[in-house]
RNA sequence: GGAGGGAUGACAGAGCGGCCGAAUGUACCGGUCUUGAAAACCGGCGUGGGCUUGCCCACCGUGGGUUCAAAUCCCACUCCCUCCGCCA
């Protein structure tokens, strides 16, 4: 949620920032009007309330002084005022609710550092990396046997069974078999071990309450993109960001405890509403995938370094896996609702000849913390924390890129050495 | 799923219709004393909102209700503890 006080204080700056992501200034004006209306009504209600309280005090005094007739009279007056107060409060509450609803629909202010642009076409490619680049090797060329889509070569090897997944849960719910399932597990273990030095491992619930989804900004805006369990007021988490951000909901943290850095391996569920038909084959876009998430609560001063650390760790894993990737700085128009700045990592997958998004490293400033009400105490008083997070990494697409990149001429897959401690024999052969 | 007990400030814990935004202790911050520290003593010490910046309003798990007046009474719900049932 954006800061209403900031909108009041510097409306033009806020409008200008939000215009960069296509939010019309009229939305802000509507909010400012509601705010003025709300404060007027609130003031009326509070003045009446103060009178009722004062009269009630006098009733108590009169009763103790045995002046019952005086008390009766005071009660009558107070009862009338009470009725008016109730009306005034209801009017004020109604406006407050409208105001909050409007405010919840407003996305975060983009960071001044985020590039300009209306949509993904304007994202800025910051750099590319490939194996051997530091030693002067050119951008890799790929052999014909690497130009086979993962859904084909994986089926040959018997490590991916999309038909069975579809039978169980519908299309876009993949089922991994044998070494395919083991590879997924190896990747998660590798990542969690790499982050152990600084990030506490969390295994959160895979579902979250509506209230929890609100605090991360996924509701009300992204309701159609999530799976819902209405009977129990639960939603399947689209990312571990949801439980991690809400873990300290409503708390005031000690400044000395920051940054609090957390990592979690969870399944992630996405309905991908409206995405049908677009790059949906194989593992390109699925309803459920495993992901290791990195997350930090920090002070505003720590945020930049925390963001950089998560990005470095995500990139570090890609390099260890020897996968070609590029780094994109998302333009203002392509930022997620809650984000002020996002760096995406995309892996090049030769079999499908596409760049696949495998990580999104975001800085939310205090946008999520304001909704989730996570603060810290400092010398300057109590203030909202900043949150940052990023995937390191999302495995379905990494899995696809690995299988395609490391496919050998004979159809087997020779995995990178870094996986040896987790996978053993690094060659995936057809099951006999 | 059934029965009982509970939820109050950073923590512990009192209050159980009006003088309660809330005793007391601990922790924390400032001061006195001290070479320094500890102890002792003194003072301070929740969060948010409104405006006429001195006051007002809200918050005692959550939501409703009763009342002139609710932390306190009533109802529903959530969570925690104990016991019973069921169950990886």
């Amino acid at each position: 949620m954006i800061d209403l006080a900031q909108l009041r204080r510097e409306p033009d700056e806020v409008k200008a920032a939000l215009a960069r992501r296509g939010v019309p200034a009229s939305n802000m004006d509507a909010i400012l009007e509601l705010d003025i209306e709300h404060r007027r009504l609130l003031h009326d209600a509070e003045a009446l309330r103060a009178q009722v309280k004062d009269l009630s005090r006098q009733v108590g005094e009169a009763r103790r002084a045995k002046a019952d007739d005086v008390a009766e009279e005071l009660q009558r007056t107070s009862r009338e005022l009470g009725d008016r107060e109730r009306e005034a409060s209801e009017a004020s509450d109604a406006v407050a609710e409208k105001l909050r609803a409007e405010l919840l629909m407003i996305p975060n202010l983009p960071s001044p550092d985020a590039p300009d642009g209306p949509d993904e076409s304007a994202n800025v490619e910051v750099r590319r990396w490939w194996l051997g680049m530091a030693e002067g090797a050119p951008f890799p060329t790929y052999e014909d046997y690497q130009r086979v889509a993962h859904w084909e070569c994986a089926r040959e090897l018997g490590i991916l069974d999309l038909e069975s997944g579809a039978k169980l849960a519908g299309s876009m719910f993949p089922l991994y078999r044998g070494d395919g399932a083991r590879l997924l597990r190896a990747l998660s273990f590798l990542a969690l071990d790499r982050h152990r030095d600084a990030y506490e491992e969390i295994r959160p619930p895979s579902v979250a309450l509506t209230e929890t989804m609100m605090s991360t900004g996924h509701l009300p805006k992204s309701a159609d993109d999530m799976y819902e369990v209405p009977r129990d007021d639960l939603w399947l988490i689209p990312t571990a960001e949801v439980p991690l951000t809400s873990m300290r909901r409503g708390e005031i943290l000690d400044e000395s405890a920051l940054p609090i850095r957390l990592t979690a391996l969870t399944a992630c569920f996405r309905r991908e509403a409206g995405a049908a038909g677009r790059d949906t084959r194989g593992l390109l876009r699925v309803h459920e995938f495993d992901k290791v998430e990195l997350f930090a609560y920090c002070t505003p001063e720590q945020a930049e370094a925390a963001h950089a650390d998560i990005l470095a760790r995500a990139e570090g894993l890609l390099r260890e896996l020897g996968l070609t990737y590029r780094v994109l700085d998302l333009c203002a128009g392509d930022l997620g609702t809650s984000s002020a700045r996002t760096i995406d990592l995309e892996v090049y997958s030769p079999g499908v000849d596409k760049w696949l998004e495998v990580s999104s490293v975001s800085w939310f400033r205090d946008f999520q913390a304001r909704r989730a009400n996570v603060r810290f105490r400092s010398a300057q008083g109590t203030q909202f924390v900043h949150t940052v997070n990023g995937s390191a990494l999302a495995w379905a697409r990494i899995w696809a890129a690995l299988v395609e990149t490391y496919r050998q001429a004979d159809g087997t897959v020779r995995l990178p050495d870094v996986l040896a401690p987790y996978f053993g024999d690094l060659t995936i052969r057809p099951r006999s």
Side-chain angles (χ1 to χ4, degrees):
Chain A
M1 187 158 59
I2 62 165
D3 183 4
L4 179 58
Q6 184 191 6
L7 177 60
R8 285 209 289 253
R9 203 168 52 239
E10 40 191 49
D12 295 336
E13 285 84 343
V14 172
K15 285 179 192 171
L18 286 169
R20 297 183 63 214
R21 51 190 304 168
V23 181
S26 57
N27 291 18
M28 287 340 108
D29 290 326
I31 286 172
L32 286 168
E33 274 172 42
L34 281 172
D35 178 46
I36 290 169
E37 171 82 350
H38 172 242
R39 280 187 288 163
R40 205 194 80 229
L41 293 169
L42 184 65
H43 189 264
D44 292 350
E46 286 189 352
L48 284 166
R49 182 100 193 106
Q51 287 185 59
V52 170
K53 285 182 73 168
D54 187 48
L55 284 171
S56 293
R57 253 187 300 270
Q58 293 180 40
V59 171
E61 283 166 25
R63 290 286 182 203
R64 268 190 301 281
K66 302 272 189 263
D68 283 350
D69 48 337
V70 174
E72 298 282 349
E73 181 57 35
L74 286 167
Q75 281 178 222
R76 211 172 2 255
T77 313
S78 180
R79 203 166 7 225
E80 278 166 30
L81 282 171
D83 289 342
R84 286 173 53 197
E85 189 270 335
R86 186 181 304 232
E87 279 174 35
S89 291
E90 279 168 9
S92 165
D93 289 350
V95 175
E97 203 172 307
K98 254 169 88 181
L99 176 61
R100 183 174 160 76
E102 291 292 325
L103 225 37
L104 284 177
M105 295 305 285
I106 303 296
N108 200 359
L109 275 53
S111 159
D113 296 336
D116 280 316
D119 54 45
E120 62 182 335
S121 65
N123 292 340
V124 174
E125 184 174 317
V126 178
R127 60 179 170 272
R128 291 186 181 194
W129 183 93
W130 56 86
L131 211 51
M133 187 182 80
E135 291 76 44
F139 189 83
T141 54
Y142 293 90
E143 306 295 334
D144 283 349
Y145 54 80
Q146 292 174 287
R147 296 294 188 181
V148 178
H150 60 274
W151 54 84
E152 285 172 18
C153 57
R155 187 214 293 262
E156 279 172 26
L157 293 167
I159 57 176
L160 181 66
D161 186 349
L162 296 172
E163 291 74 15
S164 289
K167 181 156 74 180
L168 297 170
S171 69
M172 294 164 75
F173 281 98
L175 184 149
Y176 301 85
R177 303 181 63 169
D179 282 347
R182 219 156 59 80
L183 172 56
L184 215 48
R185 177 157 55 89
L187 289 166
S188 292
F189 278 38
L190 165 69
L192 289 170
D193 282 351
R194 288 293 185 272
H195 305 320
R196 268 189 68 193
D197 59 309
Y199 291 74
E200 181 189 359
E201 184 176 343
I202 305 294
R203 174 56 250 235
S206 303
V207 293
L209 295 163
T210 296
E211 188 185 353
T212 308
M213 288 294 177
M214 282 284 185
S215 68
T216 47
H218 289 87
L219 286 175
K221 275 204 122 173
S222 305
D224 287 346
D225 293 324
M226 297 193 294
Y227 290 97
E228 189 180 6
V229 188
R231 182 156 62 148
D232 297 298
D233 188 31
L234 291 170
W235 304 75
L236 272 57
I237 56 170
T239 161
E241 170 194 338
V242 169
L244 295 182
T245 305
S246 289
M247 235 176 102
R248 302 304 195 95
R249 183 165 74 219
E251 293 186 29
I252 300 177
L253 307 171
D254 229 5
E255 186 174 17
S256 61
L258 300 175
I260 295 174
R261 299 196 277 191
L262 308 170
T263 181
L265 163 64
T266 67
C268 301
F269 300 91
R270 313 237 168 136
R271 285 187 72 228
E272 303 289 2
R278 188 176 165 218
D279 292 344
T280 55
R281 291 207 64 183
L283 298 173
L284 295 181
R285 187 179 289 272
V286 288
H287 288 315
E288 178 181 352
F289 59 92
D290 290 341
K291 175 162 69 62
V292 168
E293 185 77 358
L294 294 173
F295 175 90
Y297 297 103
C298 52
T299 67
E301 293 73 31
Q302 294 165 344
E304 197 177 331
H307 187 255
D309 182 64
I310 291 173
L311 180 61
R313 283 168 186 270
E315 283 196 66
L317 280 168
L318 290 173
R319 293 182 188 197
E320 285 196 83
L321 291 169
L323 294 172
T324 301
Y325 69 89
R326 65 180 182 182
V327 180
L328 297 180
D329 194 346
L330 297 203
C331 73
D334 197 34
L335 289 171
T337 301
S338 304
S339 181
R341 184 97 194 273
T342 295
I343 306 291
D344 272 4
L345 298 179
E346 295 187 343
V347 134
Y348 180 73
S349 207
V352 293
D353 189 27
K354 288 180 193 306
W355 295 95
L356 306 177
E357 183 187 335
V358 293
S359 179
S360 201
V361 184
S362 298
W363 173 34
F364 302 94
R365 304 191 73 102
D366 57 3
F367 188 87
Q368 290 181 325
R370 184 169 291 105
R371 282 200 202 197
N373 197 22
V374 184
R375 291 166 291 176
F376 73 100
R377 227 186 289 278
S378 71
Q380 296 84 264
T382 314
Q383 54 182 311
F384 291 110
V385 299
H386 278 206
T387 54
V388 297
N389 73 31
S391 354
L393 291 156
W395 300 125
R397 291 172 182 163
I398 294 286
W399 191 100
L402 281 170
V403 168
E404 293 178 5
T405 301
Y406 290 107
R407 186 165 192 262
Q408 308 297 304
D410 63 359
T412 63
V413 171
R414 174 63 164 75
L415 295 170
D417 292 341
V418 66
L419 287 169
Y422 305 93
F423 199 83
D425 176 11
L426 290 167
T427 303
I428 301 179
R429 300 182 180 80
R431 283 183 305 133
S432 46

